[in-house]
């Protein structure tokens, strides 16, 4: 199954700082046509051979390149030790709405590890795509992905849905989903194939703790921990107080109908 990325390949930077890593980086660029390889100047020949026409080299410290990489790319694939990369990027982190998706791959190409912005930043999807291309194992540590359940902040993304909720509301709903608490999913609009097209791929059934409804008014609000509401209409005023703090609303494109 092809995994859809939330950004084009042209917005992906591949960084490697060793000769063997650069050879693997060439395979990554080949798997993601349009991606760019960045390597130290001393490895210019190796970089150009690994990724003809898609390689750039830099002088100075790798850490000095992080601000430009964060500013110009949505996805970063680093063939660097995980610990070293944590130290390199730590001073430049902002929040998950702004930080790029960062994936670490070991030099042997055995593991693809999303280390930053797994959901909104697309690192989990990028790791899954790289794992397919390289025959690697994706190491997913976010609860919704490791348990193959619904990612509240990703629902309908490939379908163009936009979610409306505060950070705390997303956190509460996400916790309810992964902790097997009762969650109501109400679909009044949008494409019905949101589950098979869900980010990172889902092949099993919808989790048992997520009960589906066709109208918000059908839900017994006292019996659920959170409500995921897919609709074009405004929230009925009389329901707003009862749903405060536990509602995530999704707005599909109007052309997806009711």
């Amino acid at each position: 199954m092809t995994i859809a990325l939330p950004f084009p390949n042209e917005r992906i930077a591949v960084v490697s700082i060793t000769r063997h890593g650069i050879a693997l980086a060439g395979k990554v660029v080949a798997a993601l046509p349009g991606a760019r390889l960045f390597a130290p100047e001393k490895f210019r020949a190796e970089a150009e051979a690994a990724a003809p026409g898609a390689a750039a080299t830099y002088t100075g410290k790798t850490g000095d390149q992080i601000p430009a990489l964060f500013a110009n790319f949505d996805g970063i694939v680093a063939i660097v030790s995980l610990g070293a990369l944590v130290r390199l990027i730590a001073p430049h982190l902002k929040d998950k709405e702004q930080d790029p998706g960062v994936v670490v791959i070991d030099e042997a190409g055995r593991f693809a590890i999303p280390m930053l912005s797994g959901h909104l930043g697309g690192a989990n999807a990028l790791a899954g795509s790289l794992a397919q291309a390289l025959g690697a194992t994706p190491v997913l540590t976010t609860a919704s992905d490791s348990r193959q359940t619904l990612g509240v902040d990703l629902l309908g993304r490939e379908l163009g849905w936009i979610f409306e909720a505060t950070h705390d509301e997303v956190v509460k709903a996400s916790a309810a989903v992964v902790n097997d608490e009762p969650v109501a999913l109400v679909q009044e609009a949008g494409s019905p194939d949101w589950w098979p097209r869900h980010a990172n791929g889902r092949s099993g059934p919808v989790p048992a703790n997520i009960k589906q409804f066709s109208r918000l008014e059908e839900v017994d609000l006292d019996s659920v921990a959170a409500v995921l509401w897919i609709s074009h209409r405004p929230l009925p005023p009389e329901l707003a107080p009862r749903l405060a703090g536990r509602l995530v609303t999704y707005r599909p494109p109007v052309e997806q109908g009711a």
Side-chain angles (χ1 to χ4, degrees):
M1 177 179 63
T2 300
I3 297 175
L5 299 179
F7 38 71
N9 290 354
E10 290 76 11
R11 298 287 298 175
I12 299 174
V14 184
V15 182
S16 185
I17 59 176
T18 67
R19 181 175 284 109
H20 293 296
I22 289 170
L24 177 59
K27 297 179 181 178
V28 173
V29 172
L32 301 168
R36 298 280 298 171
L37 168 60
F38 294 85
E41 172 64 28
K42 65 181 179 180
F43 295 128
R44 174 181 289 275
E46 289 87 348
E48 291 179 346
T57 57
Y58 57 86
T59 57
K61 298 179 179 179
T62 300
D64 294 338
Q65 316 307 312
I66 301 300
L69 291 171
F70 268 41
N72 294 293
F73 294 93
D74 297 320
I76 298 173
V77 180
I79 305 171
V80 180
S81 78
L82 181 61
L85 193 61
V86 168
R87 296 180 186 278
L88 289 175
I89 69 173
H92 308 286
L93 302 184
K94 294 179 181 177
D95 57 62
K96 65 180 183 180
E97 283 79 23
Q98 299 181 64
D99 295 332
V102 179
V103 176
V104 172
I105 303 178
D106 63 293
E107 280 198 5
R110 292 175 296 182
F111 303 101
I113 310 169
M115 66 163 292
L116 181 67
S117 296
H119 275 178
L120 290 183
N124 288 358
L126 181 55
S129 179
L130 291 169
Q132 286 185 351
L134 302 175
T137 299
V139 183
L140 305 181
T141 57
T142 48
S144 61
D145 292 300
S146 61
R147 296 186 61 237
Q148 287 286 294
T149 189
L150 186 150
V152 169
D153 53 358
L154 296 183
L155 178 60
R157 183 174 67 184
E158 291 86 354
L159 296 164
W161 299 1
I162 297 173
F163 73 85
E164 300 172 356
T166 65
H167 173 76
D168 289 345
E169 287 167 336
V170 171
V171 169
K172 183 176 180 62
S174 297
V177 169
V178 301
N179 288 320
D180 296 327
E181 297 177 49
V183 173
L185 188 146
V186 184
Q187 183 162 16
E188 301 176 349
S191 173
D193 65 346
W194 51 267
W195 182 251
R197 296 186 62 184
H198 188 53
N200 303 316
R202 299 291 188 253
S203 56
V206 176
N209 66 309
I210 300 175
K211 303 299 183 183
Q212 300 183 59
F213 301 86
S214 59
R215 291 285 291 177
L216 187 59
E217 288 78 3
E218 297 173 359
V219 181
D220 177 4
L221 298 181
D222 295 327
S223 68
V224 296
V227 175
L228 310 179
W229 184 41
I230 309 161
S231 183
H232 290 145
R233 63 182 172 124
L235 179 64
E238 67 275 12
L239 296 181
R242 300 182 64 195
L243 287 167
R246 57 189 179 123
L247 172 68
V248 179
T249 302
Y250 301 86
R251 302 299 191 191
V254 175
E255 62 269 16
Q256 288 188 7

